[in-house]
Amino acid sequence: MAKITLSKLRHSYMANPASPDDYALKQIDLDWSDGGAYALLGPSGCGKSTLLNIISGLLMPSEGQVLFDDRDVTAFPPDQRNIAQVFQFPVIYDTMTVFDNLAFPLRNRGVDEARVAERVTEIATMLEVTDMLGTKAAGLSPDNKQKISMGRGLVRDDVNVVMFDEPLTVIDPHLKWKLRSKLKELHQKLRATMIYVTHDQTEALTFADQVVVMQDGEIVQIGTPVELFERPAHTFVGHFIGSPGMNVLAAEMRDGGAFLNGHHIALDGAVTAQEGAPQIGIRPEFVQISDTGLPATVRKVADIGRHSVVEAMVGDTAIKAITEGTAPQQGAAVHLQFQQNQTRLYRDGWLATEGRPT
Amino acid sequence: MTNWSPAGQLSNLPVWRNLRRHRPGPAAGPRSLTLTFQSALMTLKTQNITKVVNGQTHIKPTTLTLETGHFNVLLGQTGSGKTSLIKMMAGLDPIADGQVLMDGQDVTKLSTQKRNISLVHQFFVNYPHMTVYDNIASPLKVAGMAKSEIQGRVEEAADILQLRPMLHRRPHELSGGQQQRTALARAIAKESRAVFLDEPLANLDYKLREELREQLPELFAGRGAVVVYATSEPEEALLLGGYTGLMDDGHVVQFGRTADLYRTPGSLTAAAVFSDPPINKASVTKAGDQITMGDASWTAQGAAQGLSDGDYVVAIRPHHVTPTPSHKHTVPLSGNVLVTELSGSESSAHFRLDVGDWVSLSHGVHPYEVGADHPFYLDPSACFYFAPDGATVAGGPS
Amino acid sequence: MRTQNNKAWFFVLPVLLLVAFNALIPMMTVVNYSVQETFGNNVFFWEGLRWFEELLNSDRFHAALGRQFLFTGLILLIEVPLGIIIALSMPRKGPWVPVCLVLMALPMLIPWNVVGAMWNIFTLPDIGLLGYLMNTTLGIEYDMTQSPFAAWATIITMDVWHWTSLVVLLSYAGLVSIPDAYYQAAKIDGASPFKVFRYIQLPKMKQVLTIAILLRFMDSFNIYTEVFVLTGGGPGNSTTLLSIDLVKIALGQFDLGPAAAMSLIYFAITLLVSWLFYTLMTKDDAK
């Protein structure tokens, strides 16, 4: 296992990139420590797969370096990097048995058969596929095929990093949670450095200790699931994480305070940036419908069973609130209260308040 | 990256604003009138339709009456028969027995082409060699509509779905979301009598899914078409469905107003289909007003008070079992945490009780230690009780 | 099955009629001939299974059948591996793809009798390019009309030249359908190029290769025109394959009865070998 460092990485698919927009990856600097579980999270086209391919060596970056344990591996092909990767669609060797599939990466490296059998049995037990070891891999269901692909990634104990590229795409929705948690469990047992690429927040937050949120070829925030939820560094993170995402409301700054539609809004802490368009960010979970506060009119109520999402209009601004009690009627006049320690100010999209730790 | 806002760069889809602009009404311009059309069809009815493949019954006799004015959702897991049922209604799959009636008229033998329906599939199905414009226009051309009218309708549908800048591109130049919007625009422009949406959002990024899910009901509002929407996600049914049919193993277990089904499931199966994460269940015994489940027990509440003494199955949704006590969540359970999961704003924990494996779902990011015992609290007022075979309701929350 | 679409029969009917006219009716005629003797004028004498018995005990038939199997075996042994090698070395992306495909398809577009005639002229010792080159320039004695070995070498080379493309094109279609992820995974798993071929490319090509081998077997087992135009079955009987022998009996000697019996045995062998091969190749998939 290894520590991974990405230094001043840039990548463009064009021959002669001129403007920053020509870069699929704009500037990536990252340090990942040995044995951690990391996720790269972002919408499609944010550059996360490009970054993954650069780390695995399938793609050569236009600029910058990839270091494994401080050793420059930028120019190394995948097979010399000692890595494992699990792809979006299961890759299995059809003609081999499950056992031979799992043993393949070991046998290719000349590991002796006794050790091969030991490792394969160990991984198969963890993945709960022991009873399939003798069967041909071609006939398996998609989720079992993907389990075998994962197993091939995990079977070597000498890899620097195991990478997962949206591995649950083909898995039936009702089996996803099982594999999600299985992966987490495997990480805790194996303690290998793992990188998980996905556009699905649940997969990323469930799996990773640290999540890297990407947008337009840039890293927007690196943080623990709690940090991403409670203190999004950028309005994009606030919106992308959480269902529904954070309310991002255009505000006005005057007299040293933030105002929304003429009403003063108390923020969680001192404002740290004085420039840039001001926006107030607050998650629907922290907006309460009460008798006092910001006057609003209910535009829509969506009852999703365990709670209701109330969309209320303050002037032209729509604000979403989550309520577990009886939801107000459509068209009703209500008041909204923002929980102060969760009300943040953003300037030009970036977090601009110094919230007290919660 | 500067000045990003949800309604701006990421979404690119503030469709509801457009919708309001284009919604037919006194304030709408003359253009919108092309989209204001008569409600052509009021009902789509299936009468005991069945599907048999190689002697095996895939769809058991199904009678449903689906109406316009709201979404009709078919909710069930993969393989429960949603797609089969849709294909049977659309005339794409043979029906072994029974009838399909559109507005009272028997269309069972009518070919799909003659039924004037639209189908949007889970995978993005567009004509690869045609531009977005031609893709949207294709059913109108087939119907022999005048060129000028086609143009009006295509542009209108493209505006609603924010496809105007892409009209002259081909499908392979579009993102998944744009491709699926093209398929939806084709269904809207066509003004069909029935629109079948078979998990149309399943292959999209979840943020896009969230946005389109909000916009879909407004897209089809006031169109006069019967909308049938298949999904495997209970939350989607709750957000979209005026009416929902719960499907399990080729069978519509229960059909009715979505909110009613959610609050008063008619069987254990119905309750299970309408729960994600899976519903918690266990055998309980009632004696007097006490209900005993393994090591735990509580006082019967609501309709459960009237149950006679005996054995029942209790079912309780994951969000009614919380990691912290409250005035409602009062019955302590001690579970061994097996697995925890975090979605953006909710945490779930799978834990082992003496009566089986359960799930808890709670707001916020909750710290659990996997492998450790953790207290959970059950809300006795939210329990459903079923007869031991799960088939009939014994009592539930009032 | 109320909604069963009966129109389907309407579409199948023309094919059934066509098959009846071009296969069943001629076939029945052959069966009819095979059990009778005729001297023309539509006069027939019943002979039972006599022709079959004679044929199965005839050395001439055994020799022709042996030559036929040798020919088919040799061209399959050459064309299949060669076709796979060419397919593997063709580019899978880029501007050269259509160029390669067209070049590959060219030999297959030439009519069979033209191929025979072309190679006949090509190998003439005095004026043929190849014949002249071998005999005069390189000093290797090469004359198809004299040496059975030269004749065999020529018909085999000709068939390889004419038909390897089919194997190439089918294998190539199998290869391009393999997703990139497989190659990437193999790289990461540390698989050697041979293992990539053995465990990824070959299994993914298996289905198209089955079709290719089947087509090549049937075609080469029934080959007539090219060989007849090129060697006429000679020198001696050295290149008299089953089909050529059949035509000699039927049209040369006008022994319609024995020729019909031979046709039926010929047909049975082709069918049997094809069926055996196909069953063996698809046995795993059925499981």
Side-chain angles (χ1 to χ4, degrees):
Chain A
M1 291 303 137
K3 176 180 95 167
I4 295 168
T5 312
L6 306 179
S7 165
K8 300 194 177 67
L9 270 191
R10 276 151 72 86
H11 187 74
S12 173
Y13 288 102
M14 295 180 198
N16 297 304
S19 74
D21 284 346
D22 293 347
Y23 283 90
L25 286 182
K26 295 202 173 92
Q27 165 102 23
I28 305 287
D29 287 286
L30 261 181
D31 268 305
W32 278 332
S33 57
D34 188 5
Y38 300 96
L40 285 173
L41 175 66
S44 30
C46 72
K48 56 190 193 297
S49 295
T50 305
L51 186 55
L52 190 78
N53 286 339
I54 287 174
I55 300 171
S56 65
L58 295 168
L59 202 64
M60 178 86 177
S62 312
E63 294 163 39
Q65 291 172 307
V66 181
L67 308 166
F68 287 178
D69 279 337
D70 299 321
R71 198 164 68 104
D72 188 347
V73 296
T74 319
F76 286 20
D79 50 327
Q80 287 174 30
R81 290 193 184 195
N82 229 0
I83 47 150
Q85 186 164 352
V86 178
F87 296 86
Q88 196 170 5
F89 297 97
V91 173
I92 52 147
Y93 302 104
D94 287 344
T95 52
M96 297 185 197
T97 61
V98 169
F99 185 97
D100 290 341
N101 260 280
L102 293 174
F104 196 60
L106 299 174
R107 287 180 177 155
N108 285 335
R109 287 174 176 82
V111 176
D112 67 273
E113 275 303 307
R115 177 81 186 128
V116 168
E118 187 189 324
R119 265 315 269 185
V120 169
T121 316
E122 198 179 330
I123 291 294
T125 312
M126 284 186 201
L127 288 166
E128 296 164 39
V129 294
T130 322
D131 52 332
M132 307 169 200
L133 281 177
T135 54
K136 267 216 177 147
L140 299 178
S141 65
D143 55 303
N144 280 328
K145 281 187 180 173
Q146 192 62 313
K147 268 195 189 175
I148 306 306
S149 303
M150 287 178 185
R152 270 211 331 276
L154 301 167
V155 75
R156 292 170 54 207
D157 50 9
D158 61 339
V159 289
N160 287 316
V161 54
V162 187
M163 290 178 292
F164 300 90
D165 188 2
E166 312 215 2
L168 302 186
T169 308
V170 292
I171 308 300
D172 194 273
H174 292 267
L175 296 170
K176 273 187 182 173
W177 69 269
K178 288 188 181 163
L179 275 180
R180 257 190 326 246
S181 30
K182 182 56 70 186
L183 268 178
K184 179 80 185 167
E185 192 189 318
L186 285 170
H187 176 257
Q188 277 157 357
K189 280 189 189 155
L190 297 167
R191 281 288 155 203
T193 313
M194 293 189 184
I195 303 174
Y196 190 111
V197 168
T198 179
H199 63 257
D200 186 297
Q201 55 171 350
T202 308
E203 287 175 30
L205 300 179
T206 297
F207 175 77
D209 307 328
Q210 278 230 312
V211 179
V212 177
V213 185
M214 291 186 67
Q215 152 83 340
D216 287 340
E218 282 180 291
I219 292 174
V220 196
Q221 187 172 4
I222 304 174
T224 63
V226 181
E227 285 165 354
L228 297 183
F229 179 68
E230 295 201 340
R231 285 186 64 79
H234 193 276
T235 49
F236 171 77
V237 181
H239 178 75
F240 196 72
I241 290 182
S243 306
M246 188 166 77
N247 292 300
V248 178
L249 316 162
E252 197 191 338
M253 296 300 289
R254 60 180 146 91
D255 313 332
F259 287 82
L260 179 63
N261 207 35
H263 297 270
H264 179 258
I265 303 291
L267 301 171
D268 65 322
V271 176
T272 51
Q274 304 307 323
E275 295 300 312
Q279 286 166 313
I280 287 167
I282 180 154
R283 291 204 174 271
E285 285 83 354
F286 304 121
V287 179
Q288 269 120 35
I289 294 172
S290 69
D291 301 331
T292 57
L294 207 56
T297 314
V298 176
R299 192 182 92 83
K300 204 162 99 180
V301 178
D303 177 1
I304 59 163
R306 54 184 187 273
H307 55 239
S308 298
V309 180
V310 177
E311 193 178 312
M313 302 299 291
V314 174
D316 283 340
T317 315
I319 302 177
K320 282 183 178 164
I322 287 181
T323 170
E324 292 199 47
T326 319
Q329 293 292 309
Q330 194 174 340
V334 293
H335 293 271
L336 304 177
Q337 271 197 342
F338 293 179
Q339 190 178 317
Q340 190 186 346
N341 65 359
Q342 295 290 349
T343 311
R344 326 256 180 236
L345 183 78
Y346 290 86
R347 295 211 102 146
D348 280 348
W350 295 98
L351 183 63
T353 45
E354 251 177 2
R356 286 172 293 273
T358 47
Chain B
M1 209 170 23
T2 53
N3 222 356
W4 181 90
S5 83
Q9 288 88 327
L10 171 92
S11 65
N12 279 330
L13 262 178
V15 169
W16 65 267
R17 257 187 272 127
N18 278 45
L19 269 176
R20 282 191 302 186
R21 206 185 310 137
H22 291 289
R23 189 173 285 165
R31 247 295 194 50
S32 312
L33 291 175
T34 54
L35 273 181
T36 326
F37 43 86
Q38 65 293 352
S39 28
L41 176 82
M42 299 307 291
T43 57
L44 171 66
K45 198 170 173 187
T46 69
Q47 198 108 50
N48 275 316
I49 57 172
T50 59
K51 181 180 171 189
V52 180
V53 180
N54 297 331
Q56 282 186 311
T57 307
H58 281 211
I59 298 289
K60 291 164 195 152
T62 301
T63 299
L64 284 176
T65 304
L66 309 174
E67 293 176 338
T68 53
H70 53 76
F71 267 46
N72 298 285
V73 174
L74 295 175
L75 173 66
Q77 294 197 2
T78 313
S80 60
K82 307 181 296 277
T83 303
S84 292
L85 193 55
I86 279 187
K87 282 187 175 170
M88 287 158 75
M89 291 193 270
L92 293 166
D93 262 9
I95 295 173
D97 201 10
Q99 287 177 308
V100 178
L101 305 164
M102 284 173 113
D103 234 2
Q105 177 206 352
D106 185 354
V107 296
T108 319
K109 286 176 190 158
L110 208 61
S111 71
T112 306
Q113 292 90 325
K114 290 182 184 148
R115 292 193 193 186
N116 188 18
I117 54 159
S118 302
L119 179 92
V120 178
H121 203 262
Q122 175 177 358
F123 304 99
F124 321 133
V125 183
N126 290 303
Y127 300 107
H129 60 290
M130 290 186 189
T131 61
V132 170
Y133 182 98
D134 291 333
N135 261 291
I136 302 174
S138 62
L140 308 179
K141 282 185 188 160
V142 172
M145 196 180 280
K147 238 185 179 173
S148 57
E149 201 188 341
I150 291 181
Q151 190 178 353
R153 286 221 203 169
V154 171
E155 285 176 359
E156 208 71 59
D159 278 350
I160 292 174
L161 283 154
Q162 298 262 304
L163 286 166
R164 181 73 85 133
M166 290 126 210
L167 276 178
H168 297 289
R169 293 196 204 158
R170 280 169 215 278
H172 66 89
E173 297 168 295
L174 304 178
S175 69
Q178 290 164 342
Q179 290 187 41
Q180 194 64 321
R181 269 147 57 201
T182 304
L184 284 168
R186 188 167 52 227
I188 288 174
K190 191 181 168 190
E191 296 179 11
S192 330
R193 303 212 293 169
V195 179
F196 299 99
L197 305 166
D198 188 6
E199 302 198 48
L201 309 181
N203 285 330
L204 299 175
D205 280 12
Y206 81 96
K207 268 292 153 185
L208 197 60
R209 197 152 71 210
E210 236 171 58
E211 285 163 22
L212 275 171
R213 198 189 273 158
E214 247 178 66
Q215 293 145 7
L216 274 173
E218 311 192 34
L219 287 183
F220 289 99
R223 298 247 124 167
V226 172
V227 182
V228 183
Y229 186 101
T231 179
S232 61
E233 290 176 43
E235 198 171 319
E236 215 160 70
L238 282 162
L239 279 170
L240 296 174
Y243 278 73
T244 294
L246 302 176
M247 291 202 70
D248 181 63
D249 194 23
H251 184 62
V252 176
V253 195
Q254 200 178 353
F255 180 80
R257 281 185 168 282
T258 309
D260 294 349
L261 293 196
Y262 185 78
R263 300 218 151 77
T264 53
S267 65
L268 185 57
T269 312
V273 171
F274 219 145
S275 181
D276 181 40
I279 201 159
N280 301 309
K281 53 195 176 206
S283 304
V284 293
T285 310
K286 183 169 187 268
D289 61 353
Q290 276 307 103
I291 292 181
T292 313
M293 178 183 84
D295 294 343
S297 72
W298 59 87
T299 309
Q301 297 193 5
Q305 286 171 323
L307 296 178
S308 54
D309 287 3
D311 291 338
Y312 297 94
V313 173
V314 70
I316 183 159
R317 292 205 158 84
H319 68 278
H320 291 304
V321 182
T322 54
T324 45
S326 74
H327 67 283
K328 286 172 100 179
H329 302 92
T330 51
V331 182
L333 307 167
S334 179
N336 187 269
V337 178
L338 302 170
V339 155
T340 66
E341 284 191 278
L342 288 176
S343 69
S345 37
E346 288 173 308
S347 311
S348 65
H350 296 252
F351 59 95
R352 184 152 289 167
L353 283 180
D354 52 347
V355 291
D357 290 353
W358 277 29
V359 194
S360 151
L361 181 69
S362 53
H363 281 292
V365 178
H366 203 93
Y368 293 103
E369 195 187 328
V370 172
D373 284 338
H374 197 284
F376 291 93
Y377 301 89
L378 172 149
D379 176 359
S381 69
C383 290
F384 300 110
Y385 298 92
F386 300 95
D389 64 355
T392 52
V393 194
S398 41
Chain C
M1 284 301 201
R2 208 177 296 174
T3 51
Q4 192 76 311
N5 196 345
N6 290 321
K7 275 182 209 152
W9 284 107
F10 178 76
F11 291 106
V12 176
L13 202 64
V15 178
L16 284 179
L17 285 174
L18 200 73
V19 169
F21 272 106
N22 80 2
L24 293 179
I25 293 172
M27 181 94 171
M28 291 325 290
T29 319
V30 173
V31 171
N32 195 24
Y33 278 132
S34 72
V35 289
Q36 308 194 60
E37 169 76 291
T38 178
F39 303 104
N41 297 333
N42 267 334
V43 184
F44 291 96
F45 305 93
W46 176 256
E47 292 286 354
L49 294 177
R50 183 181 148 203
W51 304 135
F52 291 92
E53 271 168 42
E54 277 185 9
L55 202 68
L56 290 172
N57 292 316
S58 125
D59 291 342
R60 173 175 166 177
F61 176 73
H62 292 163
L65 186 65
R67 282 191 289 270
Q68 186 68 64
F69 272 114
L70 181 68
F71 175 74
T72 297
L74 281 174
I75 66 106
L76 283 180
L77 276 177
I78 299 171
E79 287 176 15
V80 174
L82 184 65
I84 293 174
I85 291 170
I86 297 176
L88 285 173
S89 51
M90 269 167 66
R92 253 155 257 160
K93 278 183 200 123
W96 289 102
V97 172
V99 178
C100 289
L101 288 177
V102 169
L103 282 177
M104 273 297 135
L106 271 181
M108 290 197 295
L109 300 175
I110 302 170
W112 296 344
N113 55 345
V114 178
V115 171
M118 258 169 62
W119 279 78
N120 197 342
I121 298 167
F122 188 47
T123 52
L124 284 176
D126 43 0
I127 56 163
L129 188 61
L130 181 68
Y132 185 82
L133 193 79
M134 294 284 273
N135 288 298
T136 313
T137 318
L138 296 173
I140 302 167
E141 197 175 311
Y142 170 76
D143 186 353
M144 243 177 20
T145 56
Q146 302 300 318
S147 145
F149 180 78
W152 268 87
T154 312
I155 58 170
I156 298 233
T157 314
M158 175 185 68
D159 197 82
V160 167
W161 173 84
H162 195 183
W163 286 114
T164 304
S165 307
L166 183 81
V167 184
V168 173
L169 294 181
L170 285 171
S171 307
Y172 185 76
L175 280 176
V176 290
S177 71
I178 303 174
D180 277 348
Y182 277 81
Y183 294 111
Q184 296 174 346
K187 261 188 211 169
I188 288 164
D189 287 341
S192 61
F194 173 74
K195 281 188 173 166
V196 170
F197 172 72
R198 169 70 187 78
Y199 294 113
I200 297 176
Q201 292 169 325
L202 199 58
K204 293 280 172 195
M205 279 193 291
K206 193 181 139 189
Q207 288 194 335
V208 283
L209 270 182
T210 306
I211 303 290
I213 294 173
L214 209 57
L215 285 175
R216 281 317 298 131
F217 166 76
M218 291 191 292
D219 259 7
S220 66
F221 204 73
N222 297 337
I223 191 168
Y224 174 74
T225 317
E226 295 122 297
V227 178
F228 182 76
V229 173
L230 189 64
T231 68
N237 275 332
S238 63
T239 58
T240 302
L241 302 175
L242 210 49
S243 54
I244 295 175
D245 203 26
L246 178 66
V247 174
K248 278 183 187 168
I249 296 172
L251 301 178
Q253 303 162 213
F254 211 69
D255 286 333
L256 289 185
M262 189 170 166
S263 300
L264 287 178
I265 294 174
Y266 198 169
F267 176 63
I269 294 173
T270 314
L271 204 64
L272 186 74
V273 175
S274 301
W275 177 79
L276 270 178
F277 174 76
Y278 189 78
T279 315
L280 281 176
M281 287 301 279
T282 52
K283 195 181 59 179
D284 290 348
D285 305 340
K287 263 193 290 191

